[in-house]
Amino acid sequence: MSVRQSPSLVELFRATPAKSALLILGPLALAVGQLTNSYVNGVSPLVSSSFAVVMIGFAVIATRHHATEHRLRQLEAELRR
């Protein structure tokens, strides 16, 4: 039984570009947008930085889940052969 590492981000983007972009770039864009918005409007940095940390955490967890789904699809395809 071979042990393989999880797929790289490039491999995920090649396999499913739209889903990968939504799961990786979407939350990061929201975090940057919220930080910029709070700076421009004078909102407490604690609120915006907390939101940014949560969104980055979501992006990490969602990307890991997406990588696991991709790897599972690959394994199932290998079994069918």
Side-chain angles (χ1 to χ4, degrees), residues 52-67:
V53 167
V54 169
M55 291 310 294
I56 291 170
F58 172 79
V60 169
I61 292 170
T63 302
R64 286 182 181 174
H65 184 267
H66 179 48

Side-chain angles (χ1 to χ4, degrees), residues 15-80:
T16 53
K19 186 174 183 178
S20 298
L22 286 173
L23 291 176
I24 296 169
L25 301 177
L28 296 178
L30 283 173
V32 169
Q34 181 63 29
L35 289 170
T36 305
N37 184 36
S38 70
Y39 177 74
V40 169
N41 293 317
V43 178
S44 170
L46 181 63
V47 174
S48 61
S49 60
S50 299
F51 178 80
V53 167
V54 169
M55 291 310 294
I56 291 170
F58 172 79
V60 169
I61 292 170
T63 302
R64 286 182 181 174
H65 184 267
H66 179 48
T68 303
E69 285 178 334
H70 178 69
R71 178 69 181 136
L72 184 59
R73 273 187 257 119
Q74 285 180 334
L75 290 172
E76 289 174 348
E78 287 178 13
L79 285 175
R80 289 184 193 138

